[in-house]
Amino acid sequence: KMFNRFPFMKGISGAPTESQYSYNIYAKGGPNGITLNTQHFKNWDKTAESYSHDVESSFHPANTDIRCILYHEFAHTIDLGWLVQLNFGIGLRGIKTIADNIKTEVLNKFKGPDSIPNELSQYATKNANEFFAEGLGEAFNSESPRRFAKECLRQVYKYSVIYKGYFDEKRNRSK
């Protein structure tokens, strides 16, 4: 579903891998793909129940299920993958990510940051990266995504059109 909507991301990220993290982390997403936390994903039903509690407490987006974890982490892959593809690298101070830009545009279009817990989730208040990942996760996973999530997805499409030509050219040069 994600690659159908963002085909230029094919080849940027590999298949999910596994690792063990602290129990409060479901998974991690980055420029090399998604890593699932084995402490959670060894028992799908227990993880689904844990995620459901997170949704009920508004920590993660409303009307989503355990699959949202993968969409959320893929959003990190998009954000950080674009930085790598654009040769900005990871961890450079002062470099705005796509997530920074999208969060700014969404908040400017609608209400300010005080509305983030009600429009996305409590976790989305952490930083721009989590705002973006929670928004895109809800947009892909919810049957009825809210306006912040819809706008995050609209902004991703906008940026994908901007960068598509660059990615295509870069791939052609590497062949």
Side-chain angles (χ1 to χ4, degrees):
K1 189 174 181 178
M2 296 292 282
F3 288 126
N4 288 339
R5 290 191 177 179
F6 304 109
F8 62 90
M9 289 297 294
K10 289 179 183 175
I12 290 175
S13 171
T17 58
E18 296 178 343
S19 191
Q20 187 168 340
Y21 301 114
S22 66
Y23 194 75
N24 64 334
I25 297 172
Y26 288 115
K28 289 187 176 184
N32 297 321
I34 298 170
T35 305
L36 304 174
N37 186 351
T38 55
Q39 289 193 74
H40 278 289
F41 285 94
K42 65 184 174 190
N43 185 329
W44 183 266
D45 292 336
K46 187 174 177 183
T47 302
E49 184 180 327
S50 176
Y51 185 83
S52 178
H53 288 296
D54 288 348
V55 170
E56 288 171 18
S57 69
S58 298
F59 188 72
H60 285 304
N63 304 313
T64 62
D65 60 34
I66 190 173
R67 295 171 299 163
C68 190
I69 295 168
L70 297 175
Y71 293 125
H72 172 110
E73 298 306 335
F74 190 76
H76 288 309
T77 300
I78 290 172
D79 188 34
L80 298 174
W82 274 345
L83 281 180
V84 170
Q85 290 292 309
L86 296 169
N87 293 318
F88 289 132
I90 300 294
L92 297 176
R93 295 182 189 269
I95 297 291
K96 286 187 77 169
T97 66
I98 299 301
D100 291 311
N101 293 326
I102 289 175
K103 179 179 179 184
T104 298
E105 292 186 35
V106 171
L107 293 180
N108 285 341
K109 182 171 182 172
F110 299 116
K111 301 174 193 171
D114 292 343
S115 60
I116 295 172
N118 294 327
E119 294 280 354
L120 277 179
S121 69
Q122 188 60 43
Y123 192 45
T125 66
K126 183 176 180 183
N127 57 41
N129 304 86
E130 301 307 341
F131 178 95
F132 172 69
E134 292 285 88
L136 209 55
E138 180 179 334
F140 276 108
N141 185 235
S142 176
E143 293 286 325
S144 53
R146 295 167 291 174
R147 63 187 184 156
F148 274 31
K150 288 178 186 176
E151 185 61 19
C152 281
L153 182 59
R154 194 183 76 70
Q155 292 293 327
V156 169
Y157 283 129
K158 179 182 90 173
Y159 282 102
S160 69
V161 168
I162 292 169
Y163 293 131
K164 182 187 179 308
Y166 176 84
F167 294 144
D168 289 345
E169 182 181 320
K170 188 171 181 181
R171 277 203 186 90
N172 289 335
R173 280 187 294 195
S174 67
K175 289 182 180 180

